[in-house]
Amino acid sequence: MALVHARRVRATWRAALPLALALALLSGCSDDEPVPEDDTETAPEVVEVEMIDFGYLDLPTSVPAGTQLSVTNSSEAELHELVAFRLPDEEERSTQDLLELPPEELMPTLGAPETVLLAAPGGPQIAAVGDGTLTEPGRYAIVCFIPTGVEPAVYLEAAAASDEGPPQVDGGPPHFAQGMYRELVVE
Ligand SMILES: [Cu+2]
């Protein structure tokens, strides 16, 4: 619990920083009047997810709507990603069942992702789609499609050159086949 609390405090501080800077500029920066504190109750919660070979640590099973996910990568060699799809309301199959579908059936079922966050081993977060914020309540599939064993730089270069969707890069089975997926409920 202490760890969760520490994260929340840090996230609140980060979210409040731009407002604090704006207020400092407006007030001319010259006086020593205290800057009013941001309303911490309305700041979005940030959940920092640690990506490992092959899974997501610190990802709850449910989060409130408006929660922002962020990622770090503790792997020694593997690029990882957090791709979040909001499953259709009428969809009743589990994420696990869906991921057993053949790719040509799976991708249309999942549709367009709400957010895509990547990170190379030890590297900074790359927000490829959205900023990690999940605003709409519902059931989400959280999936890593990175092919096992692919060189992070090779994949990221291919992704930068790809107009839409995930790049086609040779490699082993996608990480989700090794268990790198989760189901998340946004309430
Ligand atoms: Cu992965």
Side-chain angles (χ1 to χ4, degrees):
M1 284 314 280
L3 194 62
V4 170
H5 183 65
R7 283 211 181 87
R8 211 168 276 164
V9 169
R10 202 175 52 200
T12 303
W13 175 82
R14 218 186 281 146
L17 190 61
L19 177 66
L21 287 172
L23 287 168
L25 286 171
L26 281 173
S27 65
C29 299
S30 56
D31 54 23
D32 290 321
E33 276 178 38
V35 174
E37 277 186 27
D38 191 10
D39 180 7
T40 53
E41 295 304 313
T42 59
E45 186 168 340
V46 177
V47 173
E48 194 175 279
V49 179
E50 182 183 353
M51 304 188 293
I52 58 165
D53 304 339
F54 292 93
Y56 302 100
L57 303 183
D58 305 326
L59 180 63
T61 53
S62 73
V63 295
T67 297
Q68 184 176 15
L69 304 181
S70 72
V71 296
T72 60
N73 183 350
S74 304
S75 170
E76 303 258 301
E78 294 280 340
L79 177 70
H80 287 301
E81 66 182 356
L82 185 160
V83 185
F85 301 91
R86 187 183 179 283
L87 299 175
D89 291 329
E90 65 277 14
E91 179 60 64
E92 287 180 346
R93 288 169 289 185
S94 68
T95 295
Q96 180 175 1
D97 287 348
L98 292 173
L99 290 175
E100 283 167 8
L101 295 171
E104 62 275 17
E105 228 179 295
L106 171 64
M107 296 324 285
T109 303
L110 293 176
E114 297 296 317
T115 195
V116 179
L117 307 174
L118 301 104
Q125 168 178 296
I126 302 161
V129 176
D131 68 353
T133 305
L134 303 178
T135 49
E136 212 183 325
R139 206 159 56 94
Y140 285 72
I142 306 291
V143 188
C144 181
F145 292 93
I146 304 295
T148 304
V150 74
E151 187 67 39
V154 170
Y155 187 92
L156 290 173
E157 239 171 74
S162 159
D163 283 340
E164 58 179 61
Q168 300 304 312
V169 176
D170 288 338
H175 290 177
F176 73 74
Q178 318 220 39
M180 194 160 184
Y181 64 89
R182 290 281 289 276
E183 194 160 295
L184 174 67
V185 175
V186 174
E187 297 181 297

